Amino acid sequence: MTERLFWKDAYAREFDAAVVAVRGNALVLDATLFFPEGGGQAGDTGTIGGVKVVDTRKEGDGVLHLVADASSFSVGQTVHGVIDWERRYKIMRLHTAAHVGFFALREFDAGCTASSGRVDDEKERSDYTFMKELTPEALAAAEARTNEIISRNLGVRIWFEESEGAETNPWTRAPGSGFPAGLRRKWQIDGFEAMDCGGTHVRNTSEIGVVRMSKGKNPGGGKKRIEIRLADP
Ligand SMILES: [Zn+2]
């Protein structure tokens, strides 16, 4: 079990932890700030003990840090980890922007649903099923609405709560999610409904800045791929 320090403070960049396993080029620590790939959010990169971390993934309740060279590490050793903050912060901004974009698109089409979300430091993309036709004008209006909501400097709250439905929460039931049993992680932007998410978010929408919303390549199945990028990355 790896303690998820990024859930306590999404803004922390450095930490100390103990090595609990070394497997090939992967390190497992007793605690980490490195977000493991999951829920569509890319895994963090950075350094551990000065060695480059190229990706981070889940394994059971642990977090696997894939390093360039694990030969200098041993079990029980205390190491210092530093995440690539510039990259992670872009991911946090884009991830939060995707939530705002969903609210804006739902105002356009109350029956729309989003799936297959994926966010890294370049862009966020989600595949939407719309009941209405998404014309270029409607997409431009949704982009303007997303930026209007973002510009209101709305606070973003995060908390864990007990819930009978926790076992149906995709974050909780996912193998190796690291979620405490019976809890779901909620987030809420001021004035909008609370939703479940295990990713990392900014504290205030003002941190996102202006975004661009565009149609991506056709994902098939009658869906429309919507991509969000930072206008000023
Ligand atoms: Zn989220």
Side-chain angles (χ1 to χ4, degrees), residues 55-106:
D55 200 2
T56 309
R57 295 180 197 155
K58 290 174 196 163
E59 187 192 66
D61 277 339
V63 173
L64 285 183
H65 306 81
L66 308 182
V67 293
D69 177 8
S71 61
S72 62
F73 297 100
S74 54
V75 172
Q77 179 188 0
T78 298
V79 290
H80 186 68
V82 183
I83 62 168
D84 181 339
W85 176 249
E86 199 181 323
R87 180 173 177 277
R88 158 75 92 69
Y89 191 51
K90 282 181 192 171
I91 293 172
M92 285 164 56
R93 290 164 68 202
L94 280 167
H95 179 119
T96 312
H99 289 315
V100 178
F102 171 73
F103 288 135
L105 284 164
R106 208 180 44 178

Side-chain angles (χ1 to χ4, degrees), residues 95-96 99 185 187 196-201:
H95 179 119
T96 312
H99 289 315
R185 188 170 184 268
W187 66 268
D196 291 343
C197 186
T200 53
H201 309 83

Side-chain angles (χ1 to χ4, degrees), residues 176-223:
S177 67
F179 270 80
L183 290 182
R184 54 205 300 168
R185 188 170 184 268
K186 311 287 285 188
W187 66 268
Q188 184 170 34
I189 296 174
D190 288 346
F192 291 85
E193 74 188 80
M195 299 184 89
D196 291 343
C197 186
T200 53
H201 309 83
V202 292
R203 294 188 188 110
N204 190 289
T205 58
S206 62
E207 298 177 45
I208 300 169
V210 176
V211 298
R212 300 282 172 240
M213 196 181 260
S214 59
K215 240 186 221 178
K217 69 170 184 150
N218 184 352
K223 297 182 177 190

Side-chain angles (χ1 to χ4, degrees), residues 33-48:
L33 279 179
F34 283 80
F35 185 92
E37 166 109 31
Q41 182 171 328
D44 278 332
T45 58
T47 59
I48 293 176

Side-chain angles (χ1 to χ4, degrees), residues 77-183:
Q77 179 188 0
T78 298
V79 290
H80 186 68
V82 183
I83 62 168
D84 181 339
W85 176 249
E86 199 181 323
R87 180 173 177 277
R88 158 75 92 69
Y89 191 51
K90 282 181 192 171
I91 293 172
M92 285 164 56
R93 290 164 68 202
L94 280 167
H95 179 119
T96 312
H99 289 315
V100 178
F102 171 73
F103 288 135
L105 284 164
R106 208 180 44 178
E107 287 178 11
F108 157 70
D109 178 352
C112 76
T113 55
S115 63
S116 311
R118 164 79 196 171
V119 61
D120 59 20
D121 57 328
E122 302 259 314
K123 66 172 189 281
E124 192 279 343
R125 66 149 170 80
S126 292
D127 294 341
Y128 280 81
T129 302
F130 291 107
M131 303 293 123
K132 295 163 74 173
E133 192 196 348
L134 184 71
T135 61
E137 293 74 25
L139 183 61
E143 178 191 276
R145 177 68 172 147
T146 300
N147 282 316
E148 190 273 316
I149 296 170
I150 286 171
S151 72
R152 280 192 246 149
N153 302 342
L154 303 173
V156 182
R157 288 195 308 128
I158 302 282
W159 71 98
F160 279 96
E161 70 178 32
E162 288 187 24
S163 169
E164 285 180 18
E167 51 291 344
T168 62
N169 175 351
W171 280 93
T172 308
R173 69 167 189 246
S177 67
F179 270 80
L183 290 182

